[in-house]
Amino acid sequence: MSGDSDRSLASIFLFKGLSEDALRKIEERCRWRDYAPQETIIDFKDDSEDVYFITKGVARVVNYSVSGREVAFDDLRTGSLFGELAAIDGEPRSANVVAIAPSTVATMNASTFRSMLEEHPPVAIVLMKRLAQMVRLSVERIMDLSTLGANNRVHAELLRLAKSNIRDDGSAVISPVPIHSELASRVSTTRETVARVLSDLTRKGLVKKSGNSLILLDTERLQDMVEQFRGD
Amino acid sequence: MSGDSDRSLASIFLFKGLSEDALRKIEERCRWRDYAPQETIIDFKDDSEDVYFITKGVARVVNYSVSGREVAFDDLRTGSLFGELAAIDGEPRSANVVAIAPSTVATMNASTFRSMLEEHPPVAIVLMKRLAQMVRLSVERIMDLSTLGANNRVHAELLRLAKSNIRDDGSAVISPVPIHSELASRVSTTRETVARVLSDLTRKGLVKKSGNSLILLDTERLQDMVEQFRGD
């Protein structure tokens, strides 16, 4: 069961800056549900157009190819939203979403979501920024897939994960240590390639494990390695 | 020189549905300029955050990798807008834009653009739909790059270009005939691969040229070929 504090949208990035009163009214337009680990939140074959807000827990988004092969995935934590593309454009979903920790999720139907965006233009602007970032990130991944080999894609992904934690001395911490299969999925390669690249980097003194963190010891050199290959 | 009729935003998809009066006011907030073929409209090294509307002509968007290699491009025609990502999120640009026909372009600065979106929520919703479509298209290309070989990426791109023109008998027309180097750029392969794939398809009776059009004779079979490989 979730407590009352889980039934608040205050943690959702989209609603930062709204008054408490406006937030309460939006909360009243949501349905709330708890999910156990491994429980499906969205099945991509559903034709629902709801938007989901994670107010507690972790959910995993998994994209599938036409034939059902798992292609890429991403983990979303407290404060995230998902399902917004279908709510905006009415097109079918392309991913499954499964809870991977006990989670509390608020759901809003598509037409309520669109009315809410029209009533609160600053919220619409925050959502547009998020969509713009999604476009930029995708374009970056397309460039990586087009121009880099698998090894360098792993390097580029490590830098992406470390981006917000680079220290003055050029080192950076990724915490927790990324799981090999997750890294592999993000850059369209195999677990074995990820394991090999990480042991190469460890041997070269560019990466070391410390407790539950992975430390990039020289992000500048890693960046050089990626850029050199992007030019090939 | 452009005539008065080129100095109207009525053709821009973003503004469909606005009253004439609202449109006039938005037009008054733009600067207008004509470009000759090959003239640069945006240099990606500029730090401007303006948004551009093409009211006449054609502009080519070219993405570059860090080292300056041309990675992909797209042609935008009358009614399109570009530069909206930087206007929304304030991050640097990632592409050059060059006129490839005599063009008339209206420019709006970023803060005017954001105010305009707040004043006209339906326009904001249309822009969000466009961004959602850009995300979906990018995710599809990432899936193609991750799961398909170059040959099948060419097949998938032909189907994408034909999508809105599929007839009841399963054939489809792409007009004008796509230029080999443009197709190659879109799917991250070489001109030679595109030429080879097209002559294979012609030999198999799946594609034929007719005047300035390319006819896909059996889109269903082409789709089967792509999906079969997506499963590998």
Side-chain angles (χ1 to χ4, degrees), chain B residues 19-211:
Chain B
S19 70
E20 272 195 41
D21 186 48
L23 201 60
R24 283 303 88 74
K25 285 188 183 134
I26 294 174
E27 284 163 2
E28 283 163 15
R29 293 157 92 177
C30 290
R31 302 183 306 286
W32 296 80
R33 215 191 120 179
D34 297 332
Y35 291 86
Q38 309 312 326
E39 213 177 333
T40 295
I41 308 176
I42 294 184
D43 185 316
F44 77 101
K45 293 183 293 290
D46 292 352
D47 58 359
S48 83
E49 294 176 358
D50 294 340
V51 179
Y52 299 77
F53 306 102
I54 307 178
T55 61
K56 195 191 83 181
V58 188
R60 174 161 295 176
V61 183
V62 185
N63 285 288
Y64 290 92
S65 73
V66 180
S67 63
R69 177 183 158 191
E70 188 178 314
V71 173
F73 58 80
D74 208 357
D75 287 345
L76 304 176
R77 287 159 207 288
T78 304
S80 310
L81 89 169
F82 57 88
E84 73 279 24
L85 295 187
I88 293 168
D89 66 14
E91 302 269 330
R93 304 205 185 271
S94 58
N96 274 10
V97 183
V98 177
I100 58 170
S103 301
T104 303
V105 174
T107 308
M108 185 182 270
N109 76 43
S111 66
T112 307
F113 183 67
R114 287 192 299 260
S115 312
M116 186 272 296
L117 293 173
E118 299 206 3
E119 287 157 25
H120 300 285
V123 174
I125 297 278
V126 174
L127 184 61
M128 274 186 249
K129 278 191 191 169
R130 171 189 162 85
L131 292 168
Q133 290 293 326
M134 287 166 79
V135 171
R136 287 180 187 272
L137 193 65
S138 302
V139 168
E140 209 175 301
R141 290 207 166 155
I142 290 170
M143 302 266 274
D144 284 355
L145 281 164
S146 307
T147 59
L148 299 178
N151 291 6
N152 280 100
R153 295 207 300 273
V154 177
H155 300 159
E157 185 63 23
L158 289 174
L159 285 167
R160 223 172 268 135
L161 291 171
K163 203 175 172 184
S164 52
N165 294 311
I166 296 182
R167 300 166 180 148
D168 287 345
D169 67 355
S171 71
V173 176
I174 301 172
S175 179
V177 177
I179 296 166
H180 289 187
S181 60
E182 298 193 7
L183 260 182
S185 167
R186 279 179 213 275
V187 301
S188 306
T189 187
T190 60
R191 248 180 317 181
E192 292 72 20
T193 300
V194 169
R196 189 172 38 71
V197 169
L198 284 173
S199 76
D200 277 1
L201 291 174
T202 306
R203 204 161 26 76
K204 286 181 182 150
L206 289 169
V207 154
K208 79 171 179 202
K209 254 176 108 170
S210 165

